[in-house]
Amino acid sequence: MNKELTTLTKSKLVLQSEINSLISEGKCKYLIKERNYAAPVGLTAKRDLKNAAKGIDEWVELDKGNAYVLTNYKWILIDNFGSSQLHVDFDTLYCNE
């Protein structure tokens, strides 16, 4: 998920394993924690990811940031036909590098 999402967003993906050191070193700061976004249904997993990436980039820009940490994601069934919707949870950041 992280690898694919990185190629689809304009914002920088910061890995959860890196965030504590980047914050403590003053290289990044949190802007908004626990943001969640339900991506519009894209009919395919790839399209769902593109829609999620667009939403993440929009929120990062609105928050005046340039990076994000993906904290969780899940596809949720939305009807009896097996259609699903991608939900992503993330924090927005401003990073110096």
Side-chain angles (χ1 to χ4, degrees):
M1 174 73 166
N2 285 346
K3 185 177 180 180
E4 187 70 26
L5 203 54
T6 300
T7 65
L8 299 172
T9 57
K10 297 175 192 169
S11 307
K12 178 184 177 184
L13 171 67
V14 176
L15 299 176
Q16 287 182 356
S17 60
E18 300 172 336
I19 191 60
N20 289 336
S21 64
L22 291 171
I23 296 290
S24 66
E25 293 169 7
K27 294 181 179 178
C28 293
K29 69 176 181 175
Y30 282 106
L31 299 175
I32 303 290
K33 285 188 171 185
E34 299 180 17
R35 171 97 51 216
N36 51 54
Y37 180 71
V41 176
L43 301 179
T44 65
K46 177 77 169 183
R47 191 70 185 143
D48 286 346
L49 285 169
K50 285 182 180 181
N51 291 344
K54 182 179 177 188
I56 289 169
D57 280 337
E58 288 172 355
W59 277 113
V60 169
E61 183 179 341
L62 286 170
D63 293 340
K64 307 230 184 302
N66 61 0
Y68 65 98
V69 176
L70 183 66
T71 57
N72 195 21
Y73 67 92
K74 59 189 169 244
W75 269 271
I76 296 176
L77 289 176
I78 57 172
D79 62 24
N80 292 332
F81 303 106
S83 300
S84 61
Q85 183 176 36
L86 177 58
H87 289 241
V88 291
D89 300 327
F90 59 98
D91 302 330
T92 58
L93 308 161
Y94 180 81
C95 297
N96 296 327
E97 44 179 70

